[in-house]
Amino acid sequence: MMKYLLMVAVDESADVDQEEITVHVREVGDWAKKMSDRGVRVLGDRLRPATDATTLRVRDGELLISDGPFAETKEQMAGFDVLECADLDEAIEVASQHPGARMGVVELRPFWPV
């Protein structure tokens, strides 16, 4: 079994009404339950907007902290899931069913093997 990080990114500036958000959140919950019951979803959650992010780095021994995301991009991380799948093909099949793939971008990234 291989672990994958499924990252969901969305355009936070997109004009989406509250009803669409409510439906989407319910669909993600249904997906999460289905994948947890299947035994491939280890954990996951929604993230607060990028405006609530805190970015930090240490340079020359000095801690630098800033508000907001590090990357200047339209699409921001909206949530994540840790999957445990037999292989990349299964991870792709699972990720392709995530409702976030219809609204934004879903990225799969394998963990380093231990």
Side-chain angles (χ1 to χ4, degrees), residues 5-12 45-53 69 71 73-81 105-107 109:
L5 179 62
L6 181 157
M7 296 173 280
V8 179
V10 298
D11 180 351
E12 293 180 350
D45 213 333
R46 291 173 64 192
L47 298 175
R48 304 256 325 148
T51 53
D52 291 348
T73 179
K74 268 190 162 179
E75 293 174 333
Q76 299 293 334
M77 283 278 293
F80 73 95
D81 291 278
V105 175
V106 173
E107 179 180 334
R109 196 172 301 179

Side-chain angles (χ1 to χ4, degrees), residues 6-10 24 27-28 31 75 78-79 81 91-108:
L6 181 157
M7 296 173 280
V8 179
V10 298
H24 179 73
E27 288 175 343
V28 171
W31 175 90
E75 293 174 333
D81 291 278
I92 290 170
E93 181 264 320
V94 168
S96 71
Q97 296 179 46
H98 193 289
R102 293 191 313 267
M103 285 188 77
V105 175
V106 173
E107 179 180 334
L108 282 172

Side-chain angles (χ1 to χ4, degrees), residues 56-74:
L56 64 99
R57 26 179 128 50
V58 177
R59 299 292 185 269
D60 298 321
E62 184 180 352
L63 176 61
L64 307 169
I65 300 173
S66 61
D67 293 336
F70 175 71
E72 294 294 327
T73 179
K74 268 190 162 179

